[in-house]
Amino acid sequence: MLELKSITKKFANKVVLNSVNLRLQRSQILFVLGRSGVGKSVLLKTIVGLIPQDRGEVWINGEKTDPLNEEKMVTVRQKCGLVFQMPALLDSLTLQENLEFGLEGNQKSGLRKYLDWVQLSEGVLSRYPSEVSFGTQKKVSVVRTLLREPQFILFDEPTTGLDPVSREVTNQMIRNVVKESETGCVVVSHDIQSAIELANSIMLLDEGRVVFEGTPEAFRNSDQGLIRSFCKGMVVLDA
Amino acid sequence: MRALGNWAIREWGQLAYPTGLFWASIVGLLKSLTRASLRGKEITKQIYECAVMSLPVIAFSLGIVSLMSVLEFSWHMKVVLKQDALVPGFSLILTIREVAPVVTAMLLASRVGASISAEMGVMKITEQLDQLKLLAVSEVDYLLIPRWIGCIVANVTLTLISIAIAGIVTVFIAARWMGYQPAEFYNSLLLFTTGHDLEGALLKALCFGTLIPFVSASYGLRCAQGSQGVGDAATQAVARSSLLIIISDLLINSIWWMP
Ligand SMILES: Nc1ncnc2c1ncn2[C@@H]1O[C@H](COP(=O)(O)OP(=O)(O)O)[C@@H](O)[C@H]1O
Ligand SMILES: [Mg+2]
């Protein structure tokens, strides 16, 4: 289980996360929604210790993490993968080299399957990141994380900037990884439609706090102002 | 006075981070030597980038500088002493001790230093450095050690090549305009220059070749957000490396050649 206990993070007197709690079991999908700049990416980065929290604790499978101990964080990051908002591929390596970078021999076996999941052909892997589209880079960065087979995966806006087809592919990929490997997924997204389709629970952040947490139905039926305007966005998207 | 003190402390503090990187690299290098896991491909690429790509501009600059120095010395000597017999020897010892190591390092700092800090800066703002952490690959092992080795190899070979070029230019001028025979010139050279000078030049090359990647990386790795941040990091890297090259040149001179 992945558990955050009152995580608080300030940047230069600006409170970005204010006592945020979160619980996620394996095989569950949690969508985190919120306006841009509310601190969603910061939240994911604190979980894997890229940004140390000011206060609060992160527990993974009953073990408390220590973001200041880089060596211990290595094992935490094996259990809990993060797919960045931007693809963050190493641009001096080909896509193939990016996928294999730092990987152990036995971890390469799933490559075919994962490429299939995101609908990437192997032919493209000999290219460099700068030679392929943003969408392809993003898919490669997803596969890079899948190959390590973590127990939890944090996706930071996996469908933002993708076309509707790739968005559907990405959603299906998340379903697959949950079903096949019992992975627990935290998905940060602006895509209400996908959230309602996929999520077991939805969490809404505003001004550093969790202002809603519950099932997709409860989310849709809520009469909170912010949630209504989020859902209105969805209706417009549908039209 | 107090302001000066504060300034000195601040500048000194700037050195803490590159020094930390340096120790981390020593440790990383020792570890990878014992594991025989140095990144051969990456190192070769860095040597190529640093040495081969910088060769033309450095060869050209050093040729011109040694030409100027012989002609200039010669003019002065003729005015004062009415003869310029010792000029090629003087000129060459200046080149070996000072001009070749410092000019090479300065040019390398502006070329390679800027590129190291900009590359690392871009990696930082595009979260590639964060990604390295997630992959449990240390930035020191992956980025810094290959560049360090590249810079050392580049700086040492380029310094030696610079000395050779300066030697050839000096011989040519001496033979063409000052009526020396090459053998005669060689003897006058040995009057002044010793192995100690050459060792000093190599020491400088090693020292500057270390200084450039670590100072540059320290600005790149701590780069601020945005393209502005990357630009600043590159500027700072070149400015600081150049300043430190001059300061350490002074230090080495005072240790190596002072009686
Ligand atoms: N490393 C950092 N240093 C200072 N401020 C930061 C840093 N990272 C994020 N922030 C600030 O934290 C806030 C939340 O950012 P972020 O988590 O990226 O938002 P989003 O919810 O859109 O992902 C923003 O105001 C951003 O400026
Ligand atoms: Mg974000």
Side-chain angles (χ1 to χ4, degrees), chain B:
Chain B
M1 202 59 212
R2 162 170 291 178
L4 194 68
N6 284 341
W7 177 81
I9 290 170
R10 226 179 25 245
E11 293 298 301
W12 188 248
Q14 289 282 324
L15 288 177
Y17 186 65
T19 312
L21 287 177
F22 177 68
W23 291 123
S25 298
I26 300 257
V27 173
L29 191 61
L30 291 177
K31 271 195 204 153
S32 40
L33 285 177
T34 52
R35 279 183 283 130
S37 66
L38 274 183
R39 301 174 170 274
K41 187 180 148 203
E42 184 69 17
I43 292 173
T44 325
K45 186 176 139 207
Q46 289 305 327
I47 292 178
Y48 178 80
E49 297 265 317
C50 299
V52 182
M53 301 308 281
S54 309
L55 182 58
V57 66
I58 287 176
F60 178 76
S61 311
L62 255 292
I64 299 289
V65 170
S66 49
L67 183 111
M68 297 306 289
S69 82
V70 178
L71 295 181
E72 192 68 13
F73 272 144
S74 168
W75 183 81
H76 283 286
M77 292 301 234
K78 271 191 178 146
V79 167
V80 182
L81 299 175
K82 312 288 179 231
Q83 61 139 329
D84 56 2
L86 298 176
V87 164
F90 278 159
S91 161
L92 203 60
I93 194 172
L94 180 71
T95 305
I96 293 175
R97 285 183 177 186
E98 282 302 318
V99 179
V102 174
V103 172
T104 307
M106 288 289 199
L107 290 172
L108 212 63
S110 63
R111 244 194 67 93
V112 178
S115 110
I116 288 177
S117 63
E119 186 180 5
M120 292 189 180
V122 169
M123 290 185 75
K124 160 114 193 189
I125 67 172
T126 56
E127 299 180 326
Q128 292 180 54
L129 293 182
D130 281 340
Q131 185 65 52
L132 282 181
K133 272 194 189 163
L134 292 190
L135 301 177
V137 174
S138 113
E139 56 203 18
V140 168
D141 289 351
Y142 177 63
L143 295 171
L144 205 44
I145 291 178
R147 281 162 184 74
W148 181 24
I149 297 176
C151 270
I152 294 253
V153 172
N155 210 16
V156 169
T157 45
L158 289 176
T159 301
L160 291 177
I161 292 174
S162 302
I163 291 174
I165 290 173
I168 292 167
V169 171
T170 316
V171 172
F172 178 77
I173 297 173
R176 182 82 175 67
W177 281 298
M178 298 176 179
Y180 276 95
Q181 295 302 312
E184 217 181 330
F185 171 80
Y186 182 69
N187 287 335
S188 108
L189 200 64
L190 290 188
L191 272 182
F192 302 110
T193 315
T194 61
H196 190 66
D197 293 317
L198 212 54
E199 285 159 20
L202 287 178
L203 176 69
K204 285 187 179 180
L206 280 179
C207 175
F208 302 157
T210 301
L211 219 145
I212 294 169
F214 286 100
V215 172
S216 307
S218 78
Y219 285 99
L221 295 176
R222 287 180 303 175
C223 162
Q225 286 301 315
S227 39
Q228 173 90 43
V230 178
D232 286 348
T235 312
Q236 287 284 352
V238 175
R240 290 307 158 123
S241 313
S242 309
L243 186 67
L244 282 173
I245 285 170
I246 291 179
I247 293 175
S248 52
D249 184 56
L250 188 71
L251 287 178
I252 295 176
N253 279 354
S254 62
I255 296 166
W256 199 254
W257 281 292
M258 293 300 150

Side-chain angles (χ1 to χ4, degrees), chain A residues 114-120 135 139 142-143 146 155 158-159 162-177 194 197-198:
Chain A
Y114 298 135
L115 287 177
D116 233 31
W117 282 4
V118 297
Q119 297 193 358
L120 263 186
K139 288 173 176 178
V142 168
V143 174
L146 291 178
F155 292 97
T159 56
L162 297 189
D163 60 275
V165 179
S166 306
R167 202 177 65 184
E168 195 38 53
V169 169
T170 305
N171 288 346
Q172 188 55 44
M173 177 274 299
I174 294 176
R175 282 190 200 104
N176 287 342
V177 67
S194 306
E197 278 172 31
L198 291 179

